Tab-separated table of all heavy atoms in Angstrom:
chain	number	residue	atom	x	y	z
A	1	MET	N	-7.224	-4.690	-15.672
A	1	MET	CA	-6.821	-5.678	-14.642
A	1	MET	C	-6.382	-4.971	-13.395
A	1	MET	O	-5.601	-3.971	-13.460
A	1	MET	CB	-5.766	-6.613	-15.217
A	1	MET	CG	-5.652	-7.873	-14.408
A	1	MET	SD	-4.802	-9.172	-15.321
A	1	MET	CE	-4.465	-10.276	-14.062
A	2	THR	N	-6.749	-5.479	-12.250
A	2	THR	CA	-6.352	-4.853	-10.987
A	2	THR	C	-4.845	-5.076	-10.737
A	2	THR	O	-4.400	-6.229	-10.800
A	2	THR	CB	-7.149	-5.443	-9.828
A	2	THR	OG1	-8.521	-5.289	-10.107
A	2	THR	CG2	-6.827	-4.723	-8.537
A	3	PRO	N	-4.108	-4.035	-10.497
A	3	PRO	CA	-2.663	-4.219	-10.167
A	3	PRO	C	-2.536	-5.022	-8.879
A	3	PRO	O	-3.421	-5.014	-8.023
A	3	PRO	CB	-2.110	-2.747	-9.903
A	3	PRO	CG	-3.221	-1.860	-10.335
A	3	PRO	CD	-4.538	-2.657	-10.417
A	4	GLU	N	-1.404	-5.714	-8.764
A	4	GLU	CA	-1.107	-6.450	-7.575
A	4	GLU	C	-0.386	-5.505	-6.562
A	4	GLU	O	0.604	-4.911	-6.933
A	4	GLU	CB	-0.268	-7.683	-7.921
A	4	GLU	CG	-0.138	-8.595	-6.754
A	4	GLU	CD	-0.073	-10.026	-7.204
A	4	GLU	OE1	-0.639	-10.323	-8.279
A	4	GLU	OE2	0.486	-10.857	-6.516
A	5	VAL	N	-0.922	-5.422	-5.382
A	5	VAL	CA	-0.297	-4.561	-4.366
A	5	VAL	C	0.017	-5.456	-3.193
A	5	VAL	O	-0.843	-6.108	-2.661
A	5	VAL	CB	-1.254	-3.422	-3.945
A	5	VAL	CG1	-0.625	-2.486	-2.907
A	5	VAL	CG2	-1.695	-2.603	-5.116
A	6	THR	N	1.261	-5.357	-2.710
A	6	THR	CA	1.669	-6.087	-1.531
A	6	THR	C	2.405	-5.181	-0.589
A	6	THR	O	3.032	-4.203	-0.964
A	6	THR	CB	2.531	-7.315	-1.855
A	6	THR	OG1	3.608	-6.857	-2.717
A	6	THR	CG2	1.733	-8.389	-2.638
A	7	VAL	N	2.226	-5.474	0.709
A	7	VAL	CA	3.027	-4.792	1.741
A	7	VAL	C	3.960	-5.862	2.396
A	7	VAL	O	3.494	-6.876	2.848
A	7	VAL	CB	2.143	-4.192	2.777
A	7	VAL	CG1	2.986	-3.601	3.930
A	7	VAL	CG2	1.214	-3.106	2.198
A	8	ASP	N	5.259	-5.516	2.422
A	8	ASP	CA	6.147	-6.424	3.193
A	8	ASP	C	5.982	-6.045	4.651
A	8	ASP	O	6.543	-5.011	5.093
A	8	ASP	CB	7.584	-6.196	2.681
A	8	ASP	CG	8.554	-7.246	3.365
A	8	ASP	OD1	8.219	-7.724	4.430
A	8	ASP	OD2	9.590	-7.507	2.759
A	9	GLN	N	5.278	-6.877	5.390
A	9	GLN	CA	4.947	-6.465	6.781
A	9	GLN	C	6.153	-6.676	7.700
A	9	GLN	O	6.144	-6.100	8.807
A	9	GLN	CB	3.766	-7.388	7.278
A	9	GLN	CG	2.547	-7.008	6.435
A	9	GLN	CD	1.254	-7.683	6.946
A	9	GLN	OE1	1.296	-8.812	7.371
A	9	GLN	NE2	0.149	-6.946	6.861
A	10	ASP	N	7.225	-7.251	7.306
A	10	ASP	CA	8.457	-7.324	8.082
A	10	ASP	C	9.207	-6.027	7.930
A	10	ASP	O	10.119	-5.704	8.748
A	10	ASP	CB	9.307	-8.476	7.620
A	10	ASP	CG	8.688	-9.845	7.940
A	10	ASP	OD1	7.942	-9.888	8.894
A	10	ASP	OD2	8.969	-10.796	7.230
A	11	VAL	N	8.923	-5.262	6.911
A	11	VAL	CA	9.616	-4.000	6.601
A	11	VAL	C	8.902	-2.845	7.094
A	11	VAL	O	9.411	-1.808	7.544
A	11	VAL	CB	9.959	-3.920	5.130
A	11	VAL	CG1	10.563	-2.621	4.731
A	11	VAL	CG2	10.877	-5.100	4.710
A	12	CYS	N	7.549	-2.869	6.953
A	12	CYS	CA	6.672	-1.703	7.324
A	12	CYS	C	6.920	-1.307	8.785
A	12	CYS	O	7.017	-2.164	9.693
A	12	CYS	CB	5.201	-2.123	7.171
A	12	CYS	SG	4.001	-0.938	7.816
A	13	ILE	N	7.062	0.037	8.974
A	13	ILE	CA	7.235	0.554	10.347
A	13	ILE	C	5.982	1.282	10.825
A	13	ILE	O	6.055	2.060	11.777
A	13	ILE	CB	8.476	1.531	10.365
A	13	ILE	CG1	8.314	2.592	9.357
A	13	ILE	CG2	9.758	0.669	10.217
A	13	ILE	CD1	9.406	3.713	9.525
A	14	GLY	N	4.875	1.185	10.067
A	14	GLY	CA	3.634	1.765	10.494
A	14	GLY	C	3.604	3.299	10.312
A	14	GLY	O	2.899	4.002	11.010
A	15	SER	N	4.328	3.824	9.372
A	15	SER	CA	4.370	5.235	9.129
A	15	SER	C	3.005	5.810	8.689
A	15	SER	O	2.690	6.957	8.902
A	15	SER	CB	5.432	5.506	8.082
A	15	SER	OG	4.935	6.315	7.074
A	16	ALA	N	2.185	4.932	8.087
A	16	ALA	CA	0.841	5.180	7.709
A	16	ALA	C	0.668	6.275	6.593
A	16	ALA	O	-0.414	6.733	6.366
A	16	ALA	CB	-0.005	5.566	8.946
A	17	THR	N	1.749	6.616	5.962
A	17	THR	CA	1.638	7.525	4.837
A	17	THR	C	0.705	6.913	3.782
A	17	THR	O	-0.105	7.617	3.154
A	17	THR	CB	3.038	7.729	4.150
A	17	THR	OG1	3.923	8.081	5.152
A	17	THR	CG2	2.945	8.815	3.129
A	18	CYS	N	0.762	5.655	3.589
A	18	CYS	CA	-0.090	4.952	2.655
A	18	CYS	C	-1.534	5.002	3.015
A	18	CYS	O	-2.448	5.203	2.222
A	18	CYS	CB	0.363	3.524	2.392
A	18	CYS	SG	0.359	2.566	3.951
A	19	VAL	N	-1.835	4.809	4.287
A	19	VAL	CA	-3.187	4.872	4.768
A	19	VAL	C	-3.776	6.216	4.594
A	19	VAL	O	-4.938	6.402	4.193
A	19	VAL	CB	-3.240	4.422	6.255
A	19	VAL	CG1	-4.639	4.406	6.775
A	19	VAL	CG2	-2.610	3.011	6.409
A	20	GLN	N	-2.949	7.278	4.838
A	20	GLN	CA	-3.461	8.669	4.734
A	20	GLN	C	-3.744	8.965	3.224
A	20	GLN	O	-4.690	9.635	2.953
A	20	GLN	CB	-2.462	9.616	5.330
A	20	GLN	CG	-2.514	9.652	6.837
A	20	GLN	CD	-1.306	10.211	7.525
A	20	GLN	OE1	-0.485	10.892	6.871
A	20	GLN	NE2	-1.209	10.031	8.774
A	21	SER	N	-2.821	8.608	2.408
A	21	SER	CA	-2.949	9.017	0.965
A	21	SER	C	-4.034	8.162	0.221
A	21	SER	O	-4.679	8.665	-0.606
A	21	SER	CB	-1.604	8.913	0.271
A	21	SER	OG	-1.195	7.593	0.185
A	22	THR	N	-4.144	6.875	0.571
A	22	THR	CA	-5.031	5.992	-0.112
A	22	THR	C	-5.790	5.114	0.919
A	22	THR	O	-5.549	3.876	0.978
A	22	THR	CB	-4.317	5.128	-1.187
A	22	THR	OG1	-3.082	4.703	-0.639
A	22	THR	CG2	-4.185	5.864	-2.469
A	23	PRO	N	-6.654	5.655	1.701
A	23	PRO	CA	-7.337	4.940	2.771
A	23	PRO	C	-8.238	3.833	2.340
A	23	PRO	O	-8.541	2.884	3.137
A	23	PRO	CB	-8.118	6.002	3.536
A	23	PRO	CG	-8.231	7.107	2.572
A	23	PRO	CD	-7.083	7.132	1.645
A	24	ASP	N	-8.666	3.849	1.046
A	24	ASP	CA	-9.520	2.764	0.596
A	24	ASP	C	-8.724	1.534	0.180
A	24	ASP	O	-9.233	0.462	0.011
A	24	ASP	CB	-10.315	3.219	-0.655
A	24	ASP	CG	-11.362	4.291	-0.255
A	24	ASP	OD1	-11.753	4.307	0.849
A	24	ASP	OD2	-11.661	5.066	-1.123
A	25	VAL	N	-7.417	1.737	0.104
A	25	VAL	CA	-6.543	0.621	-0.406
A	25	VAL	C	-5.786	-0.010	0.811
A	25	VAL	O	-5.661	-1.211	0.880
A	25	VAL	CB	-5.531	1.093	-1.386
A	25	VAL	CG1	-4.577	0.013	-1.823
A	25	VAL	CG2	-6.234	1.656	-2.610
A	26	PHE	N	-5.287	0.867	1.714
A	26	PHE	CA	-4.423	0.369	2.807
A	26	PHE	C	-5.095	0.642	4.171
A	26	PHE	O	-5.789	1.620	4.350
A	26	PHE	CB	-3.099	1.082	2.836
A	26	PHE	CG	-2.318	0.836	1.569
A	26	PHE	CD1	-2.297	1.778	0.565
A	26	PHE	CD2	-1.542	-0.331	1.393
A	26	PHE	CE1	-1.501	1.548	-0.605
A	26	PHE	CE2	-0.747	-0.558	0.275
A	26	PHE	CZ	-0.765	0.415	-0.712
A	27	GLU	N	-4.892	-0.278	5.056
A	27	GLU	CA	-5.314	-0.032	6.462
A	27	GLU	C	-4.234	-0.552	7.364
A	27	GLU	O	-3.404	-1.370	6.947
A	27	GLU	CB	-6.636	-0.703	6.784
A	27	GLU	CG	-6.567	-2.216	6.640
A	27	GLU	CD	-7.923	-2.916	6.675
A	27	GLU	OE1	-8.893	-2.235	6.960
A	27	GLU	OE2	-7.941	-4.146	6.530
A	28	LEU	N	-4.226	-0.091	8.580
A	28	LEU	CA	-3.272	-0.649	9.634
A	28	LEU	C	-3.983	-1.789	10.337
A	28	LEU	O	-5.173	-1.702	10.724
A	28	LEU	CB	-2.882	0.431	10.638
A	28	LEU	CG	-1.993	1.568	10.138
A	28	LEU	CD1	-1.591	2.467	11.256
A	28	LEU	CD2	-0.766	1.112	9.341
A	29	ASN	N	-3.274	-2.855	10.552
A	29	ASN	CA	-3.882	-3.989	11.326
A	29	ASN	C	-3.651	-3.727	12.808
A	29	ASN	O	-3.126	-2.727	13.234
A	29	ASN	CB	-3.210	-5.315	10.822
A	29	ASN	CG	-1.757	-5.501	11.137
A	29	ASN	OD1	-1.209	-4.785	11.990
A	29	ASN	ND2	-1.156	-6.435	10.511
A	30	ASP	N	-4.027	-4.716	13.567
A	30	ASP	CA	-3.928	-4.617	15.056
A	30	ASP	C	-2.517	-4.379	15.561
A	30	ASP	O	-2.303	-3.868	16.670
A	30	ASP	CB	-4.569	-5.799	15.705
A	30	ASP	CG	-6.101	-5.881	15.487
A	30	ASP	OD1	-6.657	-4.894	15.108
A	30	ASP	OD2	-6.633	-6.982	15.692
A	31	GLU	N	-1.537	-4.799	14.775
A	31	GLU	CA	-0.194	-4.587	15.188
A	31	GLU	C	0.409	-3.322	14.718
A	31	GLU	O	1.591	-3.050	14.841
A	31	GLU	CB	0.688	-5.759	14.665
A	31	GLU	CG	0.656	-6.952	15.598
A	31	GLU	CD	-0.096	-8.136	15.051
A	31	GLU	OE1	0.205	-8.461	13.870
A	31	GLU	OE2	-0.985	-8.667	15.722
A	32	GLY	N	-0.433	-2.455	14.000
A	32	GLY	CA	0.065	-1.185	13.555
A	32	GLY	C	0.906	-1.332	12.276
A	32	GLY	O	1.715	-0.460	11.974
A	33	VAL	N	0.679	-2.375	11.565
A	33	VAL	CA	1.357	-2.624	10.319
A	33	VAL	C	0.373	-2.611	9.195
A	33	VAL	O	-0.782	-3.015	9.317
A	33	VAL	CB	2.087	-4.019	10.353
A	33	VAL	CG1	2.585	-4.505	9.013
A	33	VAL	CG2	3.187	-4.030	11.402
A	34	ALA	N	0.821	-2.051	8.075
A	34	ALA	CA	-0.150	-1.878	6.890
A	34	ALA	C	-0.534	-3.233	6.297
A	34	ALA	O	0.312	-4.146	6.227
A	34	ALA	CB	0.499	-0.930	5.883
A	35	GLN	N	-1.793	-3.274	5.862
A	35	GLN	CA	-2.199	-4.379	5.020
A	35	GLN	C	-3.062	-3.899	3.907
A	35	GLN	O	-3.602	-2.752	3.992
A	35	GLN	CB	-2.944	-5.470	5.875
A	35	GLN	CG	-4.175	-4.955	6.505
A	35	GLN	CD	-4.803	-5.897	7.536
A	35	GLN	OE1	-4.055	-6.783	8.015
A	35	GLN	NE2	-6.064	-5.760	7.843
A	36	VAL	N	-3.224	-4.655	2.827
A	36	VAL	CA	-3.957	-4.218	1.726
A	36	VAL	C	-5.436	-4.603	1.899
A	36	VAL	O	-5.748	-5.716	2.218
A	36	VAL	CB	-3.449	-4.896	0.409
A	36	VAL	CG1	-4.351	-4.531	-0.805
A	36	VAL	CG2	-1.997	-4.464	0.136
A	37	LYS	N	-6.246	-3.589	1.769
A	37	LYS	CA	-7.707	-3.799	1.952
A	37	LYS	C	-8.372	-4.082	0.548
A	37	LYS	O	-9.056	-5.070	0.480
A	37	LYS	CB	-8.293	-2.487	2.549
A	37	LYS	CG	-9.620	-2.543	3.155
A	37	LYS	CD	-9.842	-1.444	4.112
A	37	LYS	CE	-9.845	-0.050	3.496
A	37	LYS	NZ	-10.367	1.018	4.404
A	38	ASP	N	-8.075	-3.196	-0.335
A	38	ASP	CA	-8.657	-3.414	-1.702
A	38	ASP	C	-7.743	-2.738	-2.736
A	38	ASP	O	-7.765	-1.545	-2.851
A	38	ASP	CB	-10.036	-2.805	-1.716
A	38	ASP	CG	-10.732	-2.925	-3.060
A	38	ASP	OD1	-10.100	-3.543	-3.974
A	38	ASP	OD2	-11.842	-2.455	-3.220
A	39	ALA	N	-6.962	-3.550	-3.415
A	39	ALA	CA	-6.027	-3.031	-4.355
A	39	ALA	C	-6.654	-2.268	-5.527
A	39	ALA	O	-6.039	-1.423	-6.177
A	39	ALA	CB	-5.111	-4.124	-4.921
A	40	GLY	N	-7.933	-2.597	-5.757
A	40	GLY	CA	-8.590	-1.970	-6.893
A	40	GLY	C	-9.323	-0.672	-6.561
A	40	GLY	O	-10.070	-0.155	-7.368
A	41	ALA	N	-9.136	-0.199	-5.355
A	41	ALA	CA	-9.962	0.947	-4.851
A	41	ALA	C	-9.355	2.324	-5.239
A	41	ALA	O	-9.920	3.309	-4.887
A	41	ALA	CB	-10.140	0.859	-3.411
A	42	ALA	N	-8.259	2.311	-5.924
A	42	ALA	CA	-7.639	3.611	-6.347
A	42	ALA	C	-6.935	3.399	-7.718
A	42	ALA	O	-6.538	2.299	-8.057
A	42	ALA	CB	-6.583	4.074	-5.302
A	43	PRO	N	-6.884	4.501	-8.447
A	43	PRO	CA	-6.176	4.421	-9.737
A	43	PRO	C	-4.713	4.052	-9.573
A	43	PRO	O	-4.109	4.266	-8.559
A	43	PRO	CB	-6.305	5.840	-10.331
A	43	PRO	CG	-7.134	6.619	-9.418
A	43	PRO	CD	-7.352	5.857	-8.150
A	44	LEU	N	-4.194	3.464	-10.658
A	44	LEU	CA	-2.802	2.951	-10.636
A	44	LEU	C	-1.793	4.074	-10.177
A	44	LEU	O	-0.910	3.847	-9.424
A	44	LEU	CB	-2.397	2.438	-11.987
A	44	LEU	CG	-0.992	1.970	-12.134
A	44	LEU	CD1	-0.752	0.788	-11.198
A	44	LEU	CD2	-0.665	1.529	-13.578
A	45	GLU	N	-2.014	5.303	-10.678
A	45	GLU	CA	-1.016	6.372	-10.347
A	45	GLU	C	-1.106	6.689	-8.828
A	45	GLU	O	-0.048	7.005	-8.272
A	45	GLU	CB	-1.319	7.615	-11.148
A	45	GLU	CG	-2.627	8.293	-10.941
A	45	GLU	CD	-2.743	9.526	-11.840
A	45	GLU	OE1	-2.429	9.431	-13.010
A	45	GLU	OE2	-3.180	10.562	-11.290
A	46	ASP	N	-2.228	6.519	-8.166
A	46	ASP	CA	-2.320	6.718	-6.723
A	46	ASP	C	-1.567	5.561	-6.038
A	46	ASP	O	-0.873	5.831	-5.002
A	46	ASP	CB	-3.760	6.758	-6.281
A	46	ASP	CG	-4.449	8.099	-6.718
A	46	ASP	OD1	-3.819	8.881	-7.424
A	46	ASP	OD2	-5.631	8.235	-6.373
A	47	LEU	N	-1.696	4.380	-6.512
A	47	LEU	CA	-1.018	3.239	-5.969
A	47	LEU	C	0.500	3.431	-6.035
A	47	LEU	O	1.262	3.191	-5.149
A	47	LEU	CB	-1.365	1.938	-6.645
A	47	LEU	CG	-2.891	1.504	-6.562
A	47	LEU	CD1	-3.111	0.324	-7.427
A	47	LEU	CD2	-3.289	1.279	-5.164
A	48	GLN	N	0.934	3.906	-7.245
A	48	GLN	CA	2.339	4.084	-7.452
A	48	GLN	C	2.898	5.275	-6.585
A	48	GLN	O	4.038	5.207	-6.067
A	48	GLN	CB	2.621	4.368	-8.935
A	48	GLN	CG	2.432	3.117	-9.733
A	48	GLN	CD	2.430	3.348	-11.228
A	48	GLN	OE1	2.058	4.433	-11.676
A	48	GLN	NE2	2.768	2.290	-11.988
A	49	ARG	N	2.014	6.267	-6.354
A	49	ARG	CA	2.415	7.343	-5.470
A	49	ARG	C	2.617	6.852	-4.018
A	49	ARG	O	3.552	7.169	-3.326
A	49	ARG	CB	1.416	8.485	-5.484
A	49	ARG	CG	1.960	9.780	-4.982
A	49	ARG	CD	1.002	10.978	-5.214
A	49	ARG	NE	0.666	11.165	-6.603
A	49	ARG	CZ	-0.555	11.196	-7.128
A	49	ARG	NH1	-1.625	11.065	-6.300
A	49	ARG	NH2	-0.773	11.380	-8.388
A	50	ALA	N	1.704	5.951	-3.574
A	50	ALA	CA	1.777	5.380	-2.276
A	50	ALA	C	3.097	4.558	-2.183
A	50	ALA	O	3.816	4.574	-1.183
A	50	ALA	CB	0.615	4.538	-1.957
A	51	GLU	N	3.353	3.775	-3.218
A	51	GLU	CA	4.583	3.004	-3.289
A	51	GLU	C	5.822	3.846	-3.118
A	51	GLU	O	6.731	3.588	-2.329
A	51	GLU	CB	4.613	2.235	-4.591
A	51	GLU	CG	5.881	1.289	-4.790
A	51	GLU	CD	5.856	0.688	-6.145
A	51	GLU	OE1	5.415	1.316	-7.154
A	51	GLU	OE2	6.271	-0.515	-6.296
A	52	ASP	N	5.858	4.948	-3.861
A	52	ASP	CA	6.995	5.878	-3.874
A	52	ASP	C	7.111	6.584	-2.510
A	52	ASP	O	8.241	6.963	-2.164
A	52	ASP	CB	6.873	6.890	-4.970
A	52	ASP	CG	7.063	6.199	-6.326
A	52	ASP	OD1	7.562	5.042	-6.417
A	52	ASP	OD2	6.668	6.800	-7.314
A	53	SER	N	6.019	6.848	-1.839
A	53	SER	CA	6.091	7.698	-0.645
A	53	SER	C	6.281	6.882	0.655
A	53	SER	O	6.452	7.410	1.699
A	53	SER	CB	4.833	8.548	-0.498
A	53	SER	OG	3.678	7.722	-0.375
A	54	CYS	N	6.265	5.582	0.601
A	54	CYS	CA	6.602	4.804	1.799
A	54	CYS	C	8.073	5.028	2.163
A	54	CYS	O	8.943	4.765	1.394
A	54	CYS	CB	6.313	3.316	1.565
A	54	CYS	SG	6.779	2.316	2.968
A	55	PRO	N	8.308	5.394	3.430
A	55	PRO	CA	9.677	5.744	3.795
A	55	PRO	C	10.621	4.564	3.848
A	55	PRO	O	11.844	4.784	3.778
A	55	PRO	CB	9.531	6.392	5.205
A	55	PRO	CG	8.216	5.928	5.665
A	55	PRO	CD	7.333	5.691	4.457
A	56	VAL	N	10.058	3.370	3.952
A	56	VAL	CA	10.966	2.217	4.013
A	56	VAL	C	10.749	1.225	2.823
A	56	VAL	O	11.198	0.137	2.792
A	56	VAL	CB	10.754	1.404	5.317
A	56	VAL	CG1	11.263	2.245	6.524
A	56	VAL	CG2	9.288	1.028	5.477
A	57	ALA	N	10.062	1.745	1.798
A	57	ALA	CA	9.826	0.995	0.518
A	57	ALA	C	9.218	-0.383	0.804
A	57	ALA	O	9.663	-1.378	0.228
A	57	ALA	CB	11.128	0.861	-0.266
A	58	ALA	N	8.227	-0.484	1.700
A	58	ALA	CA	7.581	-1.730	2.008
A	58	ALA	C	6.523	-2.083	1.002
A	58	ALA	O	5.975	-3.212	1.075
A	58	ALA	CB	7.027	-1.643	3.394
A	59	ILE	N	6.090	-1.178	0.180
A	59	ILE	CA	4.944	-1.400	-0.728
A	59	ILE	C	5.526	-1.781	-2.128
A	59	ILE	O	6.396	-1.104	-2.660
A	59	ILE	CB	4.071	-0.139	-0.853
A	59	ILE	CG1	3.474	0.204	0.573
A	59	ILE	CG2	2.934	-0.351	-1.841
A	59	ILE	CD1	2.790	1.556	0.633
A	60	LEU	N	4.881	-2.806	-2.679
A	60	LEU	CA	5.255	-3.145	-4.082
A	60	LEU	C	3.924	-3.167	-4.890
A	60	LEU	O	2.921	-3.811	-4.501
A	60	LEU	CB	5.860	-4.548	-4.019
A	60	LEU	CG	6.294	-5.113	-5.457
A	60	LEU	CD1	7.343	-4.249	-6.081
A	60	LEU	CD2	6.685	-6.559	-5.353
A	61	VAL	N	3.949	-2.410	-5.991
A	61	VAL	CA	2.821	-2.359	-6.910
A	61	VAL	C	3.308	-2.997	-8.229
A	61	VAL	O	4.252	-2.536	-8.835
A	61	VAL	CB	2.381	-0.910	-7.126
A	61	VAL	CG1	1.255	-0.833	-8.163
A	61	VAL	CG2	1.926	-0.283	-5.797
A	62	GLU	N	2.597	-3.984	-8.619
A	62	GLU	CA	2.901	-4.659	-9.913
A	62	GLU	C	1.769	-4.536	-10.837
A	62	GLU	O	0.626	-5.013	-10.602
A	62	GLU	CB	3.257	-6.093	-9.700
A	62	GLU	CG	4.569	-6.336	-8.926
A	62	GLU	CD	4.734	-7.788	-8.618
A	62	GLU	OE1	4.128	-8.281	-7.658
A	62	GLU	OE2	5.594	-8.403	-9.314
A	63	ASP	N	1.984	-3.838	-11.905
A	63	ASP	CA	0.942	-3.564	-12.883
A	63	ASP	C	0.993	-4.684	-13.921
A	63	ASP	O	2.003	-4.757	-14.645
A	63	ASP	CB	1.137	-2.235	-13.592
A	63	ASP	CG	0.044	-1.949	-14.513
A	63	ASP	OD1	-1.055	-2.520	-14.438
A	63	ASP	OD2	0.235	-1.041	-15.389
A	64	GLU	N	0.028	-5.551	-13.994
A	64	GLU	CA	0.031	-6.717	-14.861
A	64	GLU	C	-0.018	-6.284	-16.340
A	64	GLU	O	-0.826	-5.501	-16.710
A	64	GLU	CB	-1.164	-7.586	-14.565
A	64	GLU	CG	-1.192	-8.075	-13.105
A	64	GLU	CD	-0.149	-9.154	-12.879
A	64	GLU	OE1	-0.017	-10.050	-13.681
A	64	GLU	OE2	0.565	-9.051	-11.857
B	101	LIG	FE1	3.981	0.898	6.366
B	101	LIG	FE2	5.087	2.242	4.435
B	101	LIG	FE3	2.473	2.304	4.797
B	101	LIG	S1	5.848	2.063	6.528
B	101	LIG	S2	2.246	2.014	6.977
B	101	LIG	S3	3.684	0.547	4.210
B	101	LIG	S4	3.744	4.038	4.220
């Protein structure tokens, strides 16, 4: 099952660490804030690494 990945866009500061590490999953929108493109595009451990590496903890990965 595909994990649920969400970005709290009120918290995201556009650091883009997530976009660099997992570009198939995250992208920056027109406001420079991350959004989820395809949560199933990377293995769970890569999603969890992105979650851990966000400097403001805006990413939540929930493994069903
Ligand atoms: Fe935003 Fe964190 Fe990604 S600040 S751009 S969700 S690494």
Side-chain angles (χ1 to χ4, degrees):
M1 198 162 165
T2 305
E4 190 143 333
V5 181
T6 51
V7 174
D8 187 337
Q9 297 187 320
D10 294 331
V11 173
C12 172
I13 56 169
S15 131
T17 309
C18 59
V19 180
Q20 283 162 13
S21 67
T22 39
D24 293 333
V25 177
F26 299 98
E27 62 187 357
L28 292 185
N29 67 16
D30 292 343
E31 274 110 52
V33 169
Q35 62 190 19
V36 178
K37 194 157 68 166
D38 181 1
L44 179 62
E45 62 180 49
D46 288 2
L47 298 174
Q48 288 169 333
R49 196 172 304 126
E51 180 184 34
D52 291 343
S53 63
C54 175
V56 292
I59 298 171
L60 179 65
V61 177
E62 290 174 285
D63 184 21
E64 300 288 313

